Amino acid sequence: LNIPSIDYGGGTGAILVEPQRTNLYLHSNDFTNILNNKVGMTALPNSINTVFGSLGGAKLMEVNLASTPRLNQGSPSTIGQIYTFSCFIKSGERNQVRIVMEGSANLSAYYNTDTGIISGIGALCTAKMKDFGGGWYRCILTYTATASNNSAYVASANGSGSTIASGDNTKGFYVSDCQFELGAVESSVITTTTATVTRSTDSVLKSGISSLIGQSKGTIFADINLTSLNKLSGILTVDGGSSPNFINILIASTTLSIRFRKDSGVITTVMAYVIGSIGRLKIAVGYDADNAQHVLVVNGSVVATSTNVVNFPTLPLSRAIIANPDYLYLGDSYNSCLLADYKMSNEDLIKLTTL
């Protein structure tokens, strides 16, 4: 379907571009199902509207005096692979939960759904929260699997940083849309019932636009919302279509790279910059092969230059690509992209990229 996903996490709409993902968590929003094992808890279905505006969130209530009340489900995993678990939580009488993977304290964290503060993050995982408004938070934990059958649980917790030792049947919290997926970043919600569900890869490109792309001289620009540095992702590419020639913006972990490829030669990094933190990035590349002047500008600052023309792609460049299998996926959202058929001045590139 040619219908983009829109991410409003930054306050305004941005196009969300994602790779193929599979939700391995079954009955992701049916907490009465037997696969959603409730240990010392009961589920009250359709107790509240979810973040998507429909009635479907469940309230998980503790069983009186039950030990460590929790929601639990096992899912297949491959040892050594990176996985991300997420679920939407809203405070009830309890305002803290603990997410634990594989029953390990090293793969766990505490989430305060009143304040949006995370504590007690295990040594072998990362954790984050996203505020979706209306009291709902997406609570996220990413880790490297050490077992072939993951067990994920979401437990009632208290303000002292521990799970509830003895349940209280007047207390609970709200939950919806659990997701367990292979990958270092959570993707948009994929609802499951009796089987896993796979969302297809997003593909965003435009061919036959050589007249809009600067050939020996030009500018490419992307304004993105970066939520993780633990990724290998293409940001924006102009290439020769069926030919192997390209100019490419790539993020690999904390390094932002500008790469050239000429014919079937090696891919050459001509400019690079170390990204200090996640957040909004406005990236502009001005290139001029005629005068051997290339520049990388990020968030209003010139961060790298190059005179490399040896590896500059053979022309023409005829296709612009945000996402397709050839150039990897950002897995985050785009506020805007721009192509210019001339190299902007450094002054204009600084203005264009200033936050």
Side-chain angles (χ1 to χ4, degrees):
L1 295 178
N2 291 317
I3 302 173
S5 296
I6 306 298
D7 177 14
Y8 290 95
T12 57
I15 294 177
L16 182 63
V17 179
E18 299 180 293
Q20 177 177 295
R21 283 294 182 88
T22 299
N23 187 1
L24 303 171
Y25 193 104
L26 302 182
H27 297 281
S28 60
N29 210 34
D30 179 5
F31 299 99
T32 61
N33 188 274
I34 192 171
L35 290 179
N36 276 311
N37 185 27
K38 294 160 289 294
V39 181
M41 303 198 92
T42 58
L44 305 178
N46 299 321
S47 297
I48 194 171
N49 284 350
T50 70
V51 295
F52 305 106
S54 58
L55 188 64
K59 189 171 188 181
L60 298 181
M61 296 296 297
E62 298 168 10
V63 172
N64 212 35
L65 305 180
S67 176
T68 317
R70 62 193 183 273
L71 172 72
N72 182 80
Q73 185 178 135
S75 301
S77 56
T78 301
I79 295 172
Q81 294 292 313
I82 298 174
Y83 289 86
T84 296
F85 173 82
S86 62
C87 59
F88 288 82
I89 302 291
K90 181 175 180 176
S91 295
E93 297 78 23
R94 297 291 187 195
N95 65 356
Q96 294 205 54
V97 299
R98 186 188 188 195
I99 294 176
V100 184
M101 312 305 290
E102 299 181 4
S104 171
N106 284 326
L107 305 176
S108 70
Y110 291 86
Y111 302 79
N112 187 312
T113 49
D114 278 351
T115 64
I117 294 174
I118 305 171
S119 61
I121 301 174
L124 301 178
C125 66
T126 59
K128 60 184 178 181
M129 298 177 75
K130 287 187 174 180
D131 186 351
F132 277 75
W136 284 103
Y137 286 88
R138 195 175 192 185
C139 301
I140 303 153
L141 190 140
T142 300
Y143 74 104
T144 300
T146 62
S148 58
N149 186 33
N150 170 71
S151 177
Y153 78 68
V154 183
S156 292
N158 59 33
S160 61
S162 61
T163 51
I164 298 299
S166 181
D168 179 340
N169 62 7
T170 67
K171 296 182 178 179
F173 58 87
Y174 297 96
V175 62
S176 76
D177 299 286
C178 290
Q179 192 150 309
F180 181 63
E181 56 195 311
L182 178 65
V185 179
E186 76 290 349
S187 67
S188 55
V189 170
I190 305 169
T191 302
T192 65
T193 53
T194 59
T196 63
V197 174
T198 298
R199 183 191 54 248
S200 299
T201 296
D202 293 329
S203 181
V204 185
L205 59 87
K206 183 68 174 177
S207 301
I209 56 169
S210 57
S211 63
L212 303 178
I213 300 172
Q215 298 298 313
S216 60
K217 301 177 183 180
T219 300
I220 59 176
F221 165 79
D223 178 355
I224 65 172
N225 302 309
L226 189 67
T227 62
S228 172
L229 296 179
N230 188 14
K231 60 173 63 184
L232 177 64
S233 307
I235 304 298
L236 180 61
T237 302
V238 290
D239 73 1
S242 60
S243 80
N245 296 281
F246 65 72
I247 301 170
N248 168 248
I249 305 174
L250 180 84
I251 288 180
S253 186
T254 60
T255 301
L256 175 68
S257 300
I258 309 305
R259 308 187 305 164
F260 291 169
R261 186 178 188 186
K262 181 176 183 178
D263 300 325
S264 296
V266 297
I267 299 171
T268 303
T269 297
V270 295
M271 293 179 284
Y273 169 67
V274 176
I275 303 168
S277 62
I278 61 173
R280 189 173 182 181
L281 284 181
K282 299 177 78 172
I283 306 160
V285 179
Y287 56 92
D288 181 348
D290 295 339
N291 297 293
Q293 295 178 349
H294 315 305
V295 62
L296 171 61
V297 184
V298 178
N299 290 354
S301 297
V302 174
V303 297
T305 59
S306 172
T307 59
N308 185 310
V309 294
V310 174
N311 302 106
F312 192 82
T314 298
L315 304 176
L317 301 171
S318 60
R319 184 171 66 161
I321 300 167
I322 291 177
N324 86 338
D326 294 336
Y327 297 106
L328 307 175
Y329 297 86
L330 177 61
D332 278 324
S333 57
Y334 288 77
N335 300 303
S336 62
C337 292
L338 176 147
L339 303 175
D341 60 1
Y342 63 97
K343 179 182 178 292
M344 292 184 179
S345 67
N346 285 9
E347 180 182 12
D348 285 342
L349 291 172
I350 289 169
K351 290 178 180 178
L352 178 66
T353 60
T354 296
L355 294 174

